[in-house]
Amino acid sequence: MSYRILTEPDRRGRTVIATIVQDIVIESSAEDVWDAVRDVEAVHKRLIPGYVLDARVDGDTRYLTVPGDAVIRELIVSIDDDLRRLAYSAVEGFKIPLTHHHASFQVVPEGADRCRLVWTTDVLPHDMAEQVRLRVVRGSQVMKETLERQSAS
């Protein structure tokens, strides 16, 4: 696993947005990982059980129930089977003070039984990037463990 935080300066040289890129190698086929990622109603079963308790979809909106019964509302922006890319934007229910969140997952094959999952997240304000990065890193670990366990069964 690797990560990096990228920032874009404005005209005055101030950082105005942060992009967190998390790269995860998963010992499972790209087809199986993509099938789990694109299953937006089963994130609580197939990707991050315990961190998300329930998921439901109404049109383009996904509602995630997390521990403590908080609900995060996300807009599903795109599910692209050709690119194996899912894009979404969390729009409500943040535990940290974000004014903007947009993220995507892309599954890249690396052989028959191995792939790379790239999770890219843009957040504002930029000074929340480290808090978001910690959540992304932990979420990535849980996804890797869950997907590899499912692949082995």
Side-chain angles (χ1 to χ4, degrees), residues 4 10 24 50 52 56 76 82 84 90-91 111 129 150 152:
R4 57 194 185 277
D10 68 7
I24 320 155
V52 174
R56 69 180 176 84
I76 303 300
D82 292 333
R84 292 188 184 109
V91 294
Q150 290 170 355

Side-chain angles (χ1 to χ4, degrees), residues 15-31:
T15 302
V16 293
I17 193 162
T19 299
I20 299 132
V21 181
Q22 177 74 25
D23 200 292
I24 320 155
V25 173
I26 300 174
E27 300 299 329
S28 182
S29 73
E31 292 77 18

